[in-house]
Amino acid sequence: MKRKHCGSTDANSSTTETLLNWAENNGAFVSNMRFTHTDVSLRGVSATCAISQGKPIASIPEKLILSYTTATASSIGSKINSYLLASAAETQLLESKGDPFARQVFILSCYLAYENFHAESSFWQPYLESLPSDFNLPISWPLIESNALLSGTNLHFIVQERQAMLREWTDLANRALTPTQFTMDQILWAYSAISSRSFPRHASRSQFDLTNELEVLRPGLEVSEICLYPVLDMMNHKYGQEIVWESSKETGMRFLAASDIRENDELWNNYGSKGNELLLANYGFILTSNASDHAQITLNIHERDPLYAVRKGAFESLGLTRVHRLFSGAPQLDAALLNAVKVLVGSEAEVMRMKLGKEDLGKKVAVSSVMALYALVQGALDKMESGSVSMDAFECSSAVQVERRNACREYRNGQHAIFKNELESCISTLKILVGLDAPETPQYPTLITNHSPLLRKIGVMDAVDKLLQLPEAEEIFDPETILALNLVYECHLGEESQFSDFFKKLEKAQLDAAEIMGEAASEVQEYYNDAIAPFLEQSDFFSCDCFSASRFLWASSVVETHGVTFNDKRVVSAMGLDFAAESSPDGVLFGVVY
């Protein structure tokens, strides 16, 4: 993928020639490289001669690597570091987002902006003049464009977060460097240059001894620093391109030929396996048919959750992450993602069991976690699709806007395909969990609902329908109560019940209903005796001895331990459980799974 630059071809030829001369005069080896211009906005690098495998393509010495170390050694960087060391509050503000490279990028941005403002006297002038005046990244698009083209996408959120961050950085830089004052546009330009052209390199810890407060300097972690590599950073990205490079303080950075290169072949770099969201955000382009494309989904633990501390502790102790990637064509749901969702939806006891290493919490938690994931992904998809309306309605008035809209459409299409694939995986997983995936017995799912065709034809549902004609009955016979009555009766039928295997498993488990229901046990039995029993006494069907307060308590405990809710009509329909949706006014399917 080719980079963008600004200005005429003639002007850029002169600028790049100056850049190459400057690099060579300072010890760089760049004679194998030639800049090529396909039009006024695209530039690449080609080989001036044949290069054999293993031979150098180009190299630049350490003095031409514009790094975090370079920035901190300057008067600007030193002054910012001193200011941050003296103010814990300012340091906390800078590192509040949890980005381990925030401090590096901030200081390097300030240094780059300062050098660019004083370019005529800067050692880096030839390099700075070779950089675009506008990197055409979404973070710098006019507000009306970014809102229209990115509305509803995760990239829109990223852009807004970065813009807010850069406003904070501008204010922080001005407080640290008074009387020197930066504008937001200056910091934005420098940040865009670093975002689109920098790469981290491994560094020794001794390089950072003079600051000794980097977030990345944690025991057991390798140290990296952000660097810009003049001339070398002009090579365009090609997915899957094999590259070989060597880096050291003594020799600088050197690119070697991974295979034989012919004269006039384009010389490629490889930015790594990046999805279109990151490519568009950081580099300003996307790849069609990007094999590394993915969607990002974030799991939030809300502080108002009564189990906030428990869930947060489980995330930390189990090493779970909040941010996960979804890939198109993934054959099944990611186990790490499902475990993280289980922590979000599980009860306190279930979360504590996970902390003890017990991942299998039963089908109830499994179903609930997949349903929660489905809702999260479907919500992201719905939000993105609603935002597509704004994009389609946006009227382009320039070729640049057309290009941006096309890139955003391709990005959206990729996200849409990934979300749809994840939803299909959720449905497939749910079918397995409730037994709908067994081709030999597709009509016998391991799911008991109030509207299951496997319930006794003349049974609880018919009797309840008649009782619902009585005044105030609807307030008593909610779906959960009806399900408990169905469980009592089906268990009473023994082998005659289509669900006899389920009740045998419950019997083996020897579950204690009173223990499961805890303090609510007595309330459940009182509610049965005072509210439910008076209605049941008016039905001949419920005169059966199997209906009692103790059995209702048992059934309620089964609902507590095995109950699941399918509260999305799309899920119910995709699973082929439309019979339940048709029988339920709101399309909600409530049952127990075993």
Side-chain angles (χ1 to χ4, degrees), residues 298-495:
T298 303
L299 307 177
N300 293 315
I301 310 174
H302 299 290
E303 292 188 9
R304 62 179 179 274
D305 184 343
L307 297 180
Y308 172 78
V310 175
R311 301 192 198 283
K312 186 173 183 292
F315 261 72
E316 293 171 354
S317 64
L318 295 173
L320 300 174
T321 60
R322 293 176 55 249
V323 179
H324 294 262
R325 291 180 175 182
L326 311 178
F327 292 88
S328 180
Q332 59 189 15
L333 299 178
D334 180 66
L337 173 57
L338 277 180
N339 281 337
V341 177
K342 285 179 183 178
V343 170
L344 293 184
V345 302
S347 65
E348 182 173 6
E350 290 162 345
V351 173
M352 296 307 293
R353 285 183 61 193
M354 287 195 68
K355 290 183 68 174
L356 295 174
K358 300 177 181 179
E359 295 184 1
D360 185 5
L361 303 180
K363 287 188 176 180
K364 174 190 175 181
V365 176
V367 169
S368 298
S369 63
V370 177
M371 281 297 301
L373 177 59
Y374 184 97
L376 191 62
V377 175
Q378 186 66 62
L381 179 59
D382 290 343
K383 182 179 180 181
M384 189 182 70
E385 288 182 338
S386 65
S388 296
V389 176
S390 300
M391 182 187 70
D392 294 336
F394 182 73
E395 296 184 3
C396 299
S397 58
S398 68
V400 171
Q401 289 181 336
V402 171
E403 183 180 354
R404 290 172 179 171
R405 186 177 64 183
N406 290 342
C408 289
R409 180 172 285 116
E410 184 71 23
Y411 159 63
R412 285 178 181 273
N413 288 342
Q415 298 286 291
H416 183 275
I418 294 166
F419 286 141
K420 293 294 287 186
N421 179 80
E422 191 73 5
L423 293 176
E424 290 172 2
S425 296
C426 285
I427 296 299
S428 298
T429 303
L430 288 171
K431 285 184 176 181
I432 293 172
L433 289 171
V434 301
L436 287 170
D437 65 316
E440 66 277 6
T441 56
Q443 72 276 32
Y444 297 112
T446 56
L447 176 69
I448 306 176
T449 74
N450 287 331
H451 306 288
S452 172
L454 303 181
L455 292 174
R456 189 53 82 86
K457 297 299 181 184
I458 302 176
V460 171
M461 298 308 297
D462 287 332
V464 168
D465 284 343
K466 294 177 182 177
L467 291 177
L468 287 174
Q469 306 303 314
L470 300 174
E472 300 180 359
E474 288 188 2
E475 298 179 10
I476 301 299
F477 293 100
D478 56 55
E480 190 168 329
T481 298
I482 297 173
L483 182 60
L485 294 173
N486 267 313
L487 291 174
V488 169
Y489 184 62
E490 290 293 324
C491 183
H492 163 72
L493 292 175
E495 293 293 338

Side-chain angles (χ1 to χ4, degrees), residues 17 23 123 175 214 221 235 310 333 439-440 456 467 502:
E17 183 178 348
F123 168 75
R175 290 194 295 272
L214 274 179
L221 292 181
M235 288 188 285
V310 175
L333 299 178
E440 66 277 6
R456 189 53 82 86
L467 291 177
F502 174 45

Side-chain angles (χ1 to χ4, degrees), residues 22-23 26-29 59-71 73 123-124 201-204 207-208 225-230 232 246-254:
W22 169 77
N26 283 280
F29 170 65
S59 66
I60 59 173
E62 182 65 25
K63 67 180 294 187
L64 292 186
I65 298 176
L66 208 169
S67 65
Y68 171 71
T69 302
T70 308
F123 168 75
W124 304 100
R201 69 170 177 180
H202 295 300
S204 65
Q207 287 179 245
F208 299 105
E225 70 168 334
I226 300 296
C227 302
L228 291 163
Y229 304 94
L232 300 183
E246 297 175 348
S247 175
S248 72
K249 293 288 291 184
E250 292 73 28
T251 62
M253 174 64 76
R254 186 165 70 149

Side-chain angles (χ1 to χ4, degrees), residues 27-48:
F29 170 65
V30 293
S31 58
N32 286 345
M33 302 174 67
R34 177 196 302 118
F35 291 99
T36 55
H37 304 271
T38 56
D39 58 39
V40 296
S41 64
L42 295 175
R43 175 172 61 197
V45 180
S46 62
T48 60

Side-chain angles (χ1 to χ4, degrees), residues 224-241:
S224 295
E225 70 168 334
I226 300 296
C227 302
L228 291 163
Y229 304 94
V231 182
L232 300 183
D233 65 2
M234 299 297 183
M235 288 188 285
N236 293 315
H237 169 65
K238 185 177 182 181
Y239 177 79
Q241 176 71 30

Side-chain angles (χ1 to χ4, degrees), residues 6 28 72 106 153 163 194 199 221 233 318 366 434-435 452 495 548:
C6 301
T72 54
F106 169 65
T153 66
Q163 289 172 337
I194 296 168
F199 290 92
L221 292 181
D233 65 2
L318 295 173
V434 301
S452 172
E495 293 293 338
S548 65

